[in-house]
Amino acid sequence: MEAHTTKQDRIGARVPHDVYETLRRAAELSGATVNQFLVQSALKEAQAVIEREEIIRLSARDWTWLLDQLENPPSPNAKLKAAMERYQQAKCDDADSSFNWPA
């Protein structure tokens, strides 16, 4: 049977003694080593930060509004029509460019 090893990295931090004692006490109360406690706590906070930055949360009212907009989009106004025309022109200009290479 083949043993799988995972790459591990080291994290170190110097903290004031009173901070260390607080961390040590919390780790002891949770039944973990200081290192385990730090990693678990830091990972939990890191996941919360990533979720907060990457996930958009909507209220039920806003979700209903968004679905309605997707299912029944408003008619394009003059600015949107002008933007679409500029986009189509830019696409045509790119197609005529000498920098296009065959696929």
Side-chain angles (χ1 to χ4, degrees), residues 71-88:
E71 291 172 355
N72 306 299
S75 300
N77 61 20
K79 286 185 178 182
L80 180 56
K81 288 178 183 177
M84 289 189 297
E85 288 175 21
R86 287 192 308 272
Y87 172 73
Q88 291 300 329

